[in-house]
Amino acid sequence: MNEELHERIREVVASVPEGTVSTYGDVAARAGASTPRLVGRVLAEDGHDLPWHRILRADGTPAPHLASEQLARLRAEGVAADGGRVDLRRFRWRTQ
């Protein structure tokens, strides 16, 4: 992955507002990445200073190894999860 794409992914993640969520696929599409997996890679390697907790799987669930912390951070921002799943229709960040 080139540095430009890496930085675009970081910028998109950084722009997700508090109290909303986005999916790996949403971020990939906005950043022009070929696959949502690249978003996960950037967050895993260089996402400690980003609001990584606002990025979810396409079904509204958090990454299993981060679920407790991710859901707690989201709850603190007013994002509710029912059964470990966030209602994307309600909380998904929409840009327009």
Side-chain angles (χ1 to χ4, degrees), residues 5-16 21-40 42-43 50-52 54-56 92-93:
L5 176 57
H6 181 97
E7 288 306 314
R8 281 197 316 264
I9 290 170
R10 285 182 50 81
E11 288 171 11
V12 172
V13 171
S15 67
V16 177
V21 297
S22 195
T23 67
Y24 291 98
D26 293 342
V27 173
R30 286 188 179 112
S34 60
T35 176
R37 291 183 183 272
L38 292 177
V39 176
V42 168
L43 290 177
L50 296 172
W52 58 267
R54 298 179 188 150
I55 311 304
L56 300 168
R92 186 181 231 152
W93 177 44

